Amino acid sequence: MVSPFYWIVLLIAIGGEFLVPIVLSFFYPKYHYLHDGLGKLSNPKSPVQWIYRVWQFLVGILMILGGIGLFYSMGAVSIFLMILLILYSVGARMIPAVLSVVDVYDVEWAPAKVYNISRFIGFFSLQLASLGLSGLLCWIGPLVHLSALPGALMFISSLIGILAYALSKMSHRKEFEGTVLQHKGIWENLFLLFIYLPFAFWSIFALCFSF
């Protein structure tokens, strides 16, 4: 049996990804939770940048611990999940927390390049990890008092998350101004919701059945 600690920290990280930005939005009048991207909270012009950057770094640590928990619970077959979560934690959480930039679209500025590349690698790794965990749930479900159905549903959730991520990347384009696609916050939060769902499902299942 894996220590519940790993699942608790994973659920804290997932829940905090939604709760912390909502709380911080009350202290940043220019930030709108559903319109602005989450990166605006860590922008050097943000009054809450240090709080959010510390939180982002902490999320990275918690997700790495969650990846270790997945490895302990599923064995060698899940080592790729742990590696992908480490890449996500470092690339999309820790590095952006340390290297905050004003304009992420300034491709000529070296820090912006590093910021964007690290986030791309990180979020791509998270998407692969979500799909991978969903596939493992389909495979091991019947072995741990589950059918393959939850795994299939989690796989669909991951695909929806990937679609939401793609839509979030269109928000800054002028041709989408005045449409729902310009609301980057909506798509980023939908991405996180659906892409994290397999991890939340497994964590709750493992806690309930001491797996």
Side-chain angles (χ1 to χ4, degrees):
M1 184 185 76
V2 178
S3 170
F5 167 78
Y6 294 103
W7 313 128
I8 292 173
V9 298
L10 192 54
L11 289 173
I12 289 174
I14 293 172
E17 287 274 58
F18 302 97
L19 182 60
V20 170
I22 291 176
V23 173
L24 293 181
S25 67
F26 290 104
F27 302 95
Y28 189 7
K30 293 183 179 180
Y31 175 79
H32 191 285
Y33 181 69
L34 295 179
H35 176 74
D36 298 312
L38 295 170
K40 188 174 180 178
L41 290 170
S42 60
N43 188 294
K45 297 180 180 180
S46 166
V48 295
Q49 62 159 312
W50 290 109
I51 298 175
Y52 191 65
R53 289 167 72 174
V54 169
W55 164 249
Q56 288 288 82
F57 199 90
L58 179 59
V59 167
I61 295 174
L62 297 179
M63 292 300 295
I64 289 174
L65 290 172
I68 294 172
L70 287 170
F71 174 70
Y72 284 157
S73 66
M74 296 182 178
V77 71
S78 66
I79 190 171
F80 74 97
L81 291 178
M82 182 177 67
I83 294 172
L84 288 171
L85 285 181
I86 291 174
L87 288 174
Y88 163 64
S89 300
V90 175
R93 296 305 176 199
M94 293 180 170
I95 291 178
V98 174
L99 186 65
S100 182
V101 298
V102 176
D103 185 3
V104 297
Y105 301 114
D106 184 3
V107 295
E108 299 302 323
W109 192 39
K113 289 182 180 180
V114 175
Y115 181 91
N116 287 321
I117 291 172
S118 68
R119 279 173 59 88
F120 173 79
I121 294 173
F123 284 121
F124 182 70
S125 299
L126 177 62
Q127 293 169 46
L128 290 180
S130 184
L131 289 171
L133 178 57
S134 301
L136 284 177
L137 288 174
C138 290
W139 177 49
I140 69 173
L143 304 177
V144 291
H145 313 295
L146 283 173
S147 67
L149 179 60
L153 293 175
M154 294 303 102
F155 190 80
I156 293 173
S157 175
S158 299
L159 293 178
I160 295 174
I162 292 172
L163 175 61
Y165 180 78
L167 293 175
S168 75
K169 294 304 175 183
M170 300 181 184
S171 62
H172 69 284
R173 296 185 179 180
K174 291 183 179 180
E175 57 265 36
F176 296 119
E177 288 183 1
T179 71
V180 69
L181 288 178
Q182 76 170 357
H183 299 292
K184 188 174 184 178
I186 292 176
W187 302 110
E188 283 191 348
N189 281 285
L190 285 176
F191 161 65
L192 292 175
L193 174 64
F194 286 106
I195 215 72
Y196 275 146
L197 199 56
F199 299 97
F201 174 82
W202 179 256
S203 297
I204 294 171
F205 174 80
L207 282 173
C208 291
F209 293 95
S210 300
F211 189 76

